[in-house]
Amino acid sequence: MDQDTVVLSLRQLTKHFGGVVAVDGIDLDINKGEFITLLGPSGCGKTTTVRMIGGYEEPTAGQIIVDGQDITNVPARDRNFGMVFQDYALFPHMTVSDNIAYPLRMRKWARDRVAGRVSEMLDLVRLDGMGKRHPWELSGGQRQRVALARALSFSPRLLLMDEALGALDAKLREYMRVEIRRIQRLLQITTIHVTHDQDEALGMSDRVVVMRQAKIAQVAAPRDLYTDPTSVYVADFVGRINLLWGHVVEHAADATIVELDDPFPPATATRIRARRTPDQAVGSRVRVGIRPEAVRLVEGGGVLAGVVSGARFGGPLEYVTVAIGPDRTLDLLRRPGDAPPQGNVLLDWAPDQALVLPAD
Amino acid sequence: MRNRRWNWLVIPMLVAFATIYVPAIVSFVLISFHPSTGPGSVGPEWTLGNYAKVLGDAVYQTGLWRSVALGAITVAGSLILGFPLAYYISRYSSRFAIAVFTLLYVSSLTSIVIRGLGWITLLGTTGPINGILQMLGLIQEPVIFYGNLLGLSIAMIHYTLPFMVLTLLPVMHAIPTGLEEASSGMGAGFVTTVRRVVVPLAMPGVLAGSLLVFAMTISAFVIPRLVGGLTLRLTALLIDQEMRTTYNYAIGSTLASVLLLLVAVVVVMASVVGGRSRVAR
């Protein structure tokens, strides 16, 4: 797999709907064989973006380039991209086989070649023997797989998926994530997937494009996105995070010192050591972000003191909420002990786990 | 609503049908099996003679064939005009589409007599349609529209078009636009998408609209009377003649029964075809 060959480039891609800016000048390069996820809340422009790539929406401005060729004005039918729609868009009057054969018949494939490919695809998505059924005779997960098989049957240049797992229940969704990734790796097909589900985005993708209000907030591999978010928005959208206000006091050799804003109870260091972030100037207002799983309960010392105000058991892990000042709490995630902690506690974390983020 | 609790809501309709419409139908069907005994009366004995006469007589045969032909032409015409129109209106909620729809709807509210008379003027040998055709040099002599199936079909298609479109619209609306997008994304052009996706899924509406238009056309009276004139004798006009001019109730009832049977046969045929192409959702 040439990881570094750019297959698809978006250049200042823009879409206006009347006066509403749905997508605002997006630039993005997608590599061959990559699984990319556009992640964001509803209305952030992710679906419009993937629909423009597919040719279902005409860009207001900007370009879409595939293999060095500008396809911005090429109609959907000539793009040769597979698309899995949110509601699957299976043809209800055709059987599963006819649905999968549809793009092949459009390409005037010979009859036995069509039949061969259809049975290959049914095998691939593990629906052998289901070819004669109609979409309404299938479960949600099976329909999803038919839609995937249909989108892949003609060996498209790109696979697009718009909230393709949204209609499935949680268990099935998890299973399909693995299935889709298996098939994607097998075919080595460049894939652009749209979702609002962060677990899905982190669990399936090579890279995640986080979108916010018609723009790209950050592009990164799932791990990097989680550990090195560049904004409060991304840190908060991807996973859970505790956010404290403060300002930068000093950049030490191994840490950035931040003075926290709020008044805290005694035994609390109001100056904390956080990950060294020299691009935040001394004196600038920042948010300090700490993931709940980075916060530890300690016997002595520690960074902050607080009072346990609640605990929520969640199977292998439990969330503990600690009040660290008036109207301020901090969540921590830990393996449940014999009993949840109570009363006064001391909290600590490694300086590197405290992210210094621009205040926005 | 699968709950039987609400079944009583159909009672008013059933009562009205049972007391008014069904007796009317039953009575003329019964009359059709009795011999005529002079103007306005039938004898007590049972007979199939009326049917033998109606189906054997050239005037009645021609009337029936013409009615069926007019029905078929009108269905085809209103479908050819109505299908693209309904598709357009359902897919483009533009101001123009709404204007077209409103125009169509309002025109369907105009009195049928006025529309019939309007067509007589428009289709006359010195009327504007002949005038335009002659001006364009398409014809030398005026085309005669009055008193034949050509003019009558034009007027009937105009009359039935709104009903066809209104029947097709909800079915068209129910076809998700995503299916057409999916089709084009897989390499199909517009015509292919319409042929392989839109038409099959709109079939229930096409059948329902065609049935409605067919039934309306073969029983139509006012427009055939006005535009078809006295020479183009359709079954509906013959029924009127038997009932109100010659007072031959037996033959009038028999013709009405034959029309009723004809519509019933078409409905059954359509539901067989419809059942085969049914799409469960």
Side-chain angles (χ1 to χ4, degrees):
Chain A
M1 203 159 35
D2 315 85
Q3 268 297 345
D4 295 309
T5 327
V6 173
V7 171
L8 174 76
S9 295
L10 308 183
R11 296 265 176 276
Q12 284 298 304
L13 196 64
T14 303
K15 178 70 186 179
H16 295 191
F17 287 112
V20 181
V21 182
V23 176
D24 191 4
I26 280 182
D27 286 302
L28 186 66
D29 286 333
I30 294 167
N31 298 320
K32 194 169 163 55
E34 212 177 9
F35 193 111
I36 283 261
T37 298
L38 305 184
L39 173 69
S42 58
C44 72
K46 57 190 192 299
T47 289
T48 308
T49 303
V50 85
R51 284 176 59 80
M52 284 194 282
I53 297 171
Y56 305 106
E57 215 75 73
E58 206 179 317
T60 309
Q63 290 170 298
I64 301 165
I65 294 156
V66 173
D67 293 331
Q69 213 184 341
D70 187 338
I71 60 148
T72 316
N73 298 314
V74 174
R77 72 179 147 118
D78 298 328
R79 288 195 185 188
N80 210 22
F81 297 167
M83 173 113 175
V84 180
F85 291 83
Q86 192 165 5
D87 55 1
Y88 313 141
L90 296 176
F91 300 129
H93 57 299
M94 294 182 195
T95 62
V96 166
S97 290
D98 286 337
N99 265 284
I100 297 171
Y102 192 88
L104 309 177
R105 295 195 176 125
M106 293 303 119
R107 285 163 180 75
K108 309 255 188 288
W109 281 29
R111 184 176 293 207
D112 32 331
R113 197 168 158 227
V114 170
R117 177 56 68 91
V118 167
S119 82
E120 252 172 64
M121 294 315 295
L122 286 172
D123 263 3
L124 181 71
V125 297
R126 301 181 178 167
L127 281 178
D128 22 324
M130 300 282 208
K132 291 244 160 42
R133 304 221 185 155
H134 279 83
W136 77 81
E137 297 171 283
L138 304 179
S139 69
Q142 291 171 330
R143 277 184 222 175
Q144 213 279 336
R145 278 182 273 171
V146 176
L148 187 65
R150 189 178 67 171
L152 291 170
S153 65
F154 55 103
S155 310
R157 286 199 281 184
L158 278 182
L159 175 63
L160 309 174
M161 295 197 288
D162 181 12
E163 301 268 8
L165 301 177
L168 305 178
D169 58 55
K171 269 255 157 62
L172 197 53
R173 205 151 56 208
E174 215 150 298
Y175 173 70
M176 283 311 296
R177 273 181 215 166
V178 178
E179 270 297 279
I180 289 173
R181 207 56 229 265
R182 171 183 74 84
I183 291 165
Q184 190 266 338
R185 287 219 174 91
L186 191 71
L187 304 178
Q188 300 190 6
I189 183 165
T190 312
T191 302
I192 301 164
H193 173 224
V194 163
T195 185
H196 62 271
D197 183 328
Q198 49 146 319
D199 287 339
E200 211 173 287
L202 296 182
M204 294 175 83
S205 324
D206 293 317
R207 282 193 300 160
V208 178
V209 178
V210 184
M211 291 189 65
R212 177 196 195 183
Q213 289 171 7
K215 289 187 163 147
I216 291 177
Q218 191 174 353
V219 183
R223 259 168 228 283
D224 298 337
L225 202 63
Y226 191 77
T227 54
D228 298 315
T230 54
S231 62
V232 169
Y233 174 80
V234 172
D236 203 24
F237 194 80
V238 179
R240 291 172 65 147
I241 197 157
N242 296 294
L243 291 162
L244 304 170
W245 286 99
H247 63 270
V248 176
V249 177
E250 182 196 345
H251 293 297
D254 57 347
T256 289
I257 313 297
V258 176
E259 168 121 25
L260 297 178
D261 271 7
D262 309 62
F264 286 104
T268 295
T270 54
R271 290 191 170 193
I272 62 163
R273 294 164 65 77
R275 183 185 295 182
R276 189 176 141 77
T277 315
D279 47 328
Q280 292 297 323
V282 170
S284 58
R285 254 180 103 53
V286 292
R287 302 290 288 275
V288 176
I290 309 124
R291 298 277 181 205
E293 68 273 18
V295 182
R296 298 190 311 265
L297 293 173
V298 289
E299 296 297 322
V303 185
L304 289 175
V307 182
V308 173
S309 63
R312 187 163 57 80
F313 179 69
L317 294 167
E318 79 180 341
Y319 271 102
V320 178
T321 304
V322 180
I324 53 165
D327 306 325
R328 276 215 155 272
T329 60
L330 206 123
D331 285 343
L332 67 98
L333 189 64
R334 54 170 231 158
R335 303 178 74 122
D338 295 334
Q342 283 181 317
N344 292 316
V345 288
L346 293 170
L347 307 171
D348 195 21
W349 56 78
D352 228 36
Q353 300 283 350
L355 310 171
V356 180
L357 301 165
D360 273 342
Chain B
M1 246 190 295
R2 286 171 198 276
N3 202 324
R4 283 163 183 243
R5 200 146 59 96
W6 300 103
N7 283 356
W8 62 270
L9 285 172
V10 302
I11 288 174
M13 186 276 276
L14 287 178
V15 169
F17 265 69
T19 56
I20 304 166
Y21 303 111
V22 175
I25 293 170
V26 169
S27 77
F28 76 68
V29 171
L30 285 179
I31 290 171
S32 75
F33 290 106
H34 292 288
S36 175
T37 54
S41 70
V42 290
E45 28 331 287
W46 295 88
T47 176
L48 287 172
N50 297 324
Y51 286 90
K53 188 174 179 198
V54 161
L55 297 174
D57 187 303
V59 173
Y60 300 127
Q61 275 179 359
T62 316
L64 272 174
W65 281 123
R66 278 201 187 128
S67 290
V68 172
L70 180 66
I73 294 167
T74 308
V75 165
S78 62
L79 208 49
I80 289 166
L81 298 181
F83 191 93
L85 184 60
Y87 181 74
Y88 173 78
I89 293 171
S90 76
R91 287 302 182 260
Y92 305 93
S93 50
S94 66
R95 226 176 260 189
F96 181 65
I98 292 165
V100 169
F101 180 67
T102 310
L103 206 66
L104 186 76
Y105 187 65
V106 169
S107 85
S108 77
L109 298 175
T110 315
S111 156
I112 188 169
V113 175
I114 291 175
R115 284 201 275 168
L117 294 172
W119 277 113
I120 292 177
T121 312
L122 287 173
L123 295 171
T125 44
T126 55
I129 291 178
N130 266 312
I132 289 168
L133 290 176
Q134 275 172 317
M135 211 169 68
L136 294 173
L138 293 172
I139 52 168
Q140 305 302 317
E141 296 295 309
V143 179
I144 295 164
F145 292 106
Y146 182 80
N148 60 27
L149 274 181
L150 178 61
L152 185 51
S153 303
I154 293 172
M156 283 309 295
I157 289 167
H158 172 236
Y159 171 56
T160 54
L161 185 60
F163 297 93
M164 180 60 91
V165 172
L166 287 171
T167 313
L168 285 172
L169 260 182
V171 181
M172 294 273 192
H173 270 300
I175 302 172
T177 51
L179 297 184
E180 289 148 70
E181 287 185 342
S183 173
S184 74
M186 288 186 283
F190 176 73
V191 174
T192 311
T193 298
V194 168
R195 191 167 58 83
R196 302 192 60 155
V197 178
V198 180
V199 170
L201 291 174
M203 226 39 212
V206 170
L207 285 174
S210 301
L211 275 181
L212 179 68
V213 167
F214 184 78
M216 280 175 73
T217 306
I218 66 166
S219 58
F221 177 75
V222 176
I223 291 179
R225 182 72 189 72
L226 292 173
V227 183
L230 291 167
T231 48
L232 194 69
R233 302 167 84 182
L234 297 162
T235 308
L237 301 177
L238 292 170
I239 294 173
D240 177 63
Q241 189 189 321
E242 299 295 347
M243 290 301 207
R244 297 196 304 130
T245 310
T246 61
Y247 295 103
N248 190 337
Y249 285 4
I251 294 297
S253 298
T254 307
L255 285 169
S257 302
V258 170
L259 267 195
L260 186 70
L261 188 70
L262 201 65
V263 173
V265 167
V266 172
V267 168
V268 169
M269 271 164 46
S271 45
V272 169
V273 175
R276 209 174 293 155
S277 73
R278 170 141 304 139
V279 173
R281 279 227 71 165

